[in-house]
Amino acid sequence: MSTFNMASEEANAKMEPANKSGDTCVTNEKVETVDTQKTNDPGGDESSSQQQSDSDLYTTCNDTHNTTQSDQATVDFKIIFNKQKYDVIFPLDNTVAKLKEHVQDLTGVPPAMQKIMYKGLAKDEITLRALKVTKGAKVMVVGSTLTDVLAVSAPSPKEQQEITKSSETSKEPLCQQKNHKKVLDKYGKPDDLMPGIKNKKDPLPPTPVSGMYNKSGGKVRLTFKLELDQVWIGTKERTDKMPMNSVKAIVSEPIEGSEEYHIMGLQLGPTEASRYWIYWVPAQYVDAIKDTILGKWQYF
């Protein structure tokens, strides 16, 4: 029995190192697993850093996009031409000149023949933002297409000969010509005239130009209905509503001794005989009257 017991103890003693070795292997595996996790952690940090960088880049691009959208702010408004309305969306920082190009696509009226009216005549170089065009605003366009201009009846050779002959014989100032001198001498200077200013160019006043008279001495006022493309010639007896494109030409000259006022003739037909004469027109409004009625196409 003692011999068997000794053999058992020796066998157990030989088995213990193996068990310890097995424990070590298990421990090593755990260490290796932990080490592997630690090795992977830096990679996780790098991925997180990359995600943050991508997020920052997206934010920057988005901010830039938003800034661009802000720079290209637009406004919705209506273009009105010949009683027709066009809905327009246009950049606020574009100029009236650019708007005219767009209006040409809508109406067929070349930019040089357009007048953009918004709180008065809008200049080409001003932007819509500076003009304070707001959402839903109504912007008037006055002008004629090339077809309209070419359709205006030209004077016949005989009528043209009369015009040439008349201009050659009319070298003296208007106020000294017999028919005009007679009117000026007979009716004199009106008491209710609007103030006149020579050597100055003002836009049309917000009220009718009044206090003048015609060749019969009847009081005359000029009212400009831009939304209708009409000029109203009013007297005590009647008001003639004339389409602006029915006025073929306008002539004017200062009155000698009162150069702050002009004699003005609106030519309503092909010859000088059709001129409607108005006396004592304030000088500062003469150019504005011509530009409003005739537009730039008068020079073509």
Side-chain angles (χ1 to χ4, degrees):
M1 287 294 293
S2 58
T3 302
F4 176 78
N5 288 336
M6 291 177 64
S8 260
E9 289 175 2
E10 289 176 0
N12 288 336
K14 289 179 181 180
M15 291 176 63
E16 285 177 5
N19 289 339
K20 289 178 180 177
S21 176
D23 290 341
T24 303
C25 287
V26 172
T27 304
N28 286 342
E29 288 177 0
K30 291 181 179 177
V31 171
E32 289 172 2
T33 302
V34 173
D35 288 345
T36 302
Q37 290 176 347
K38 287 183 178 179
T39 304
N40 289 336
D41 283 343
D45 293 341
E46 182 178 350
S47 175
S48 177
S49 175
Q50 181 63 36
Q51 290 176 358
Q52 181 63 34
S53 175
D54 291 345
S55 177
D56 292 343
L57 180 60
Y58 173 78
T59 302
T60 302
C61 292
N62 198 39
D63 289 344
T64 303
H65 178 67
N66 289 338
T67 301
T68 302
Q69 283 185 325
S70 177
D71 290 344
Q72 292 297 321
T74 59
V75 62
D76 303 4
F77 59 96
K78 293 184 183 297
I79 289 289
I80 300 177
F81 173 71
N82 280 353
K83 300 182 180 180
Q84 292 186 339
K85 296 180 180 180
Y86 303 88
D87 292 320
V88 173
I89 301 175
F90 209 71
L92 272 170
D93 293 314
N94 276 13
T95 61
V96 170
K98 286 288 185 182
L99 178 60
K100 285 184 175 181
E101 294 176 7
H102 184 63
V103 169
Q104 181 179 15
D105 296 335
L106 298 175
T107 64
V109 180
M113 298 183 183
Q114 293 178 32
K115 285 177 285 186
I116 301 294
M117 311 301 299
Y118 184 72
K119 300 177 182 178
L121 182 64
K123 296 182 179 179
D124 285 353
E125 63 273 14
I126 195 171
T127 64
L128 270 61
R129 188 186 299 276
L131 202 56
K132 297 182 179 179
V133 176
T134 57
K135 182 177 180 180
K138 294 180 180 179
V139 177
M140 306 290 179
V141 175
V142 178
S144 302
T145 64
L146 285 171
T147 303
D148 293 335
V149 174
L150 294 174
V152 176
S153 57
S156 66
K158 182 179 179 181
E159 291 170 336
Q160 185 61 49
Q161 187 177 11
E162 290 178 359
I163 294 172
T164 303
K165 181 179 179 181
S166 177
S167 63
E168 288 177 351
T169 57
S170 301
K171 299 298 182 181
E172 61 182 342
L174 289 175
C175 61
Q176 293 299 325
Q177 293 177 22
K178 184 178 179 181
N179 56 334
H180 298 304
K181 191 174 186 303
K182 182 179 178 181
V183 173
L184 292 171
D185 291 343
K186 182 175 181 179
Y187 300 109
K189 187 175 181 179
D191 296 330
D192 56 348
L193 271 177
M194 297 178 71
I197 307 172
K198 64 180 179 180
N199 300 324
K200 189 176 182 185
K201 299 179 181 180
D202 283 344
L204 291 176
T207 57
V209 181
S210 60
M212 308 163 291
Y213 57 70
N214 56 26
K215 66 179 182 180
S216 301
K219 289 289 185 175
V220 174
R221 66 183 177 277
L222 295 178
T223 305
F224 299 90
K225 294 291 184 179
L226 302 177
E227 68 276 14
L228 301 176
D229 199 22
Q230 294 179 350
V231 54
W232 293 4
I233 304 175
T235 62
K236 184 178 180 180
E237 294 79 19
R238 57 184 294 176
T239 297
D240 291 315
K241 300 179 180 181
M242 309 291 299
M244 290 190 187
N245 60 12
S246 69
V247 181
K248 304 299 186 294
I250 299 177
V251 296
S252 70
E253 283 184 13
I255 298 174
E256 289 184 358
S258 298
E259 284 77 9
E260 66 273 25
Y261 295 98
H262 279 224
I263 299 173
M264 176 176 286
L266 307 182
Q267 187 168 318
L268 306 179
T271 68
E272 291 182 0
S274 65
R275 288 177 178 171
Y276 183 91
W277 292 101
I278 304 174
Y279 300 84
W280 303 96
V281 179
Q284 70 271 24
Y285 299 135
V286 168
D287 284 347
I289 291 172
K290 290 180 179 179
D291 185 57
T292 301
I293 294 178
L294 299 176
K296 293 183 179 180
W297 64 269
Q298 65 179 301
Y299 303 111
F300 288 81

